[in-house]
Structure formats: C-alpha cells, structure tokens
Amino acid sequence: MAKRQNESTAQADQLKEDLRHLSDTVEELVNATSKDASGEMRDLRTRAEQRLKDTRQRLEARGERIYEDTRDSLTHQADACDRYVHENPWTSIGIGAAAGVIIGMLIGRR
C-alpha cells in the first residue's frame, strides 16, 4: 500500500513538473512572438494559449478527482480499522501492548 502511494506521489510530482515546464515554454513562446504581427503567428499563438488553458483545466480536474479518491480511500480504511477495533477489542489491546513493548525495548537499548 505504501509503495503504491509513493509511486502515485512520484507520478503526480513528475506530472506537475512536466506541466510547469510545458506551461513555461508555451508562455515564453507566446511572449516571444507577441510582436510578430503576421496572421499565421497570431493563429499559432491563439491555439497555443487555448491548448494550454485546456490542459490546465483537465489537469486541475484530474487533481481534484485524485484528491477525492484518496480521501474516500483513506476514509474507508479508517472506518475498516475502527470496525475491526470495535469487533475485536482484546486483539487490538494485545497488538497495541506488543507494539509498546517492542518500541520500549528498542528505545531502552540506546
């Protein structure tokens, strides 16, 4: 589970970086060609601006979906953990006690 989250985080970070780089490049292109008055350059600039705007909107929507899916998943996992603890209180106490003993032993060694 943690590996999947790390991979998702890495992919999301890479996607953000790629989009930021693309956005900067297109904005530089638009700014560099803003003085060129030819009709073809105006059309190209307009299309580039529109594509950049569309891409930003799609990625924002995707980011919101990823956030909502992650929130729902975490809520579901927390509910499952809560149900398990309520259904198996003594097992949960035993697991907590064992973890406490192990952590105490590890801390005590130093």
Side-chain angles (χ1 to χ4, degrees):
M1 175 85 164
K3 183 178 178 183
R4 183 176 179 200
Q5 288 175 343
N6 289 340
E7 289 174 5
S8 296
T9 302
Q11 289 175 353
D13 291 341
Q14 182 62 42
L15 185 61
K16 286 179 191 176
E17 185 61 32
D18 290 345
L19 177 63
R20 189 174 299 116
H21 181 67
L22 174 64
S23 175
D24 291 344
T25 303
V26 170
E27 287 177 5
E28 286 176 19
L29 174 65
V30 168
N31 291 335
T33 60
S34 64
K35 293 178 178 62
D36 190 346
S38 70
E40 188 175 320
M41 287 305 288
R42 277 194 306 258
D43 292 342
L44 178 61
R45 189 170 47 251
T46 302
R47 284 196 318 256
E49 288 174 344
Q50 186 60 42
R51 286 182 183 166
L52 180 61
K53 190 182 298 184
D54 292 343
T55 302
R56 283 182 178 168
Q57 289 174 348
R58 281 195 310 268
L59 288 174
E60 286 174 3
R62 179 182 281 172
E64 289 174 8
R65 279 195 312 270
I66 290 171
Y67 172 77
E68 290 171 2
D69 291 346
T70 303
R71 186 188 62 216
D72 292 343
S73 174
L74 289 175
T75 301
H76 176 71
Q77 291 172 6
D79 290 343
C81 182
D82 186 54
R83 277 193 309 275
Y84 179 82
V85 169
H86 281 91
E87 291 171 1
N88 304 297
W90 290 109
T91 303
S92 302
I93 291 171
I95 291 171
V101 168
I102 292 170
I103 291 172
M105 288 174 59
L106 291 173
I107 291 174
R109 287 182 143 181
R110 291 181 182 201

